Amino acid sequence: MNTADRPDPIQGIMESSRTVDSEFRRRDRMLGHTLVIGRAYLASALLIVLLAAALALPHSDGVRGLDVLFFTEAARDQQTSLPSHVFVLLYSAGAILFGAVMIITQKWWAAGIAWGASCVATVYGMLAIWLRQSGRGPNPDFQDFGAPGIGLYVSVILVLLLVMTLAGVLWARTPEQRELEDSVRHRD
């Protein structure tokens, strides 16, 4: 046998290595597209439902969360601040809407958007409470500025809890993903 006719052993090793690596990557991508349904997933689903219900609670004197969201006459009369609007909008559109998409589709990107919106909404919620507690609204001459209501406090607490549970949802690994990671680790 001529040495020119023999296959290169290094080339054969490289080909089989590429095949194995691509198979691991394909399986990892496939497993990474869906979320793990566990305690954190179910807890976040419950928190999303509670957040939707919290929109009916009073956020300040005579103003419900829905009034703040849709900027109704009651919200204008109470001179609801911009941080209150941003807070309610972020947790309605971000946490509730994309949280519902996460529950329905079980996709990580929806959980990521809901988590990011919840993080930012928490900051705006704290600012909204602080502005309401200071007793001064956007107009310093306005006398009937109401204090924060139970709905504002409950919403901020629920959004903060949702931030923590969605982080757990995003970082959870399926048993198949752990097995794949172990097989890649032990292969080397």
Side-chain angles (χ1 to χ4, degrees):
M1 181 176 206
N2 190 349
T3 58
D5 295 336
R6 280 191 303 173
D8 184 15
I10 301 297
Q11 186 65 27
I13 292 171
M14 296 295 287
E15 283 296 319
S16 63
S17 175
R18 270 189 231 115
T19 305
V20 169
D21 281 345
S22 66
E23 177 64 24
F24 281 131
R25 287 188 181 116
R26 185 192 65 75
R27 284 183 56 204
D28 188 44
R29 277 193 304 271
M30 183 183 70
L31 291 171
H33 285 293
T34 57
L35 295 172
V36 178
I37 297 178
R39 283 186 219 137
Y41 183 84
L42 297 174
S44 62
L46 175 67
L47 287 169
I48 290 165
V49 170
L50 290 174
L51 268 172
L55 283 171
L57 295 173
H59 276 232
S60 63
D61 190 29
V63 179
R64 295 175 300 133
L66 289 170
D67 295 328
V68 176
L69 180 62
F70 296 115
F71 201 57
T72 63
E73 192 64 37
R76 276 191 290 273
D77 289 345
Q78 194 53 235
Q79 294 196 3
T80 306
S81 64
L82 181 63
S84 293
H85 291 290
V86 172
F87 168 65
V88 174
L89 182 67
L90 276 173
Y91 92 71
S92 297
I96 295 174
L97 181 67
F98 281 99
V101 170
M102 174 199 73
I103 292 167
I104 293 168
T105 63
Q106 297 176 4
K107 298 295 181 187
W108 65 268
W109 58 265
I113 292 171
W115 178 77
S118 299
C119 288
V120 177
T122 302
V123 174
Y124 276 99
M126 297 289 195
L127 184 59
I129 288 175
W130 176 72
L131 286 174
R132 281 274 163 198
Q133 284 178 339
S134 68
R136 295 176 60 108
N139 180 2
D141 298 328
F142 186 65
Q143 297 299 317
D144 298 326
F145 195 70
I150 188 73
L152 190 55
Y153 288 118
V154 167
S155 296
V156 169
I157 291 169
L158 289 174
V159 169
L160 187 59
L161 290 173
L162 187 63
V163 165
M164 292 183 276
T165 57
L166 283 174
V169 167
L170 288 169
W171 287 101
R173 293 280 193 203
T174 64
E176 293 87 11
Q177 284 173 319
R178 287 192 193 108
E179 178 183 313
L180 182 64
E181 289 169 359
D182 287 342
S183 65
V184 168
R185 210 173 289 125
H186 294 301
R187 184 177 64 90
D188 294 335

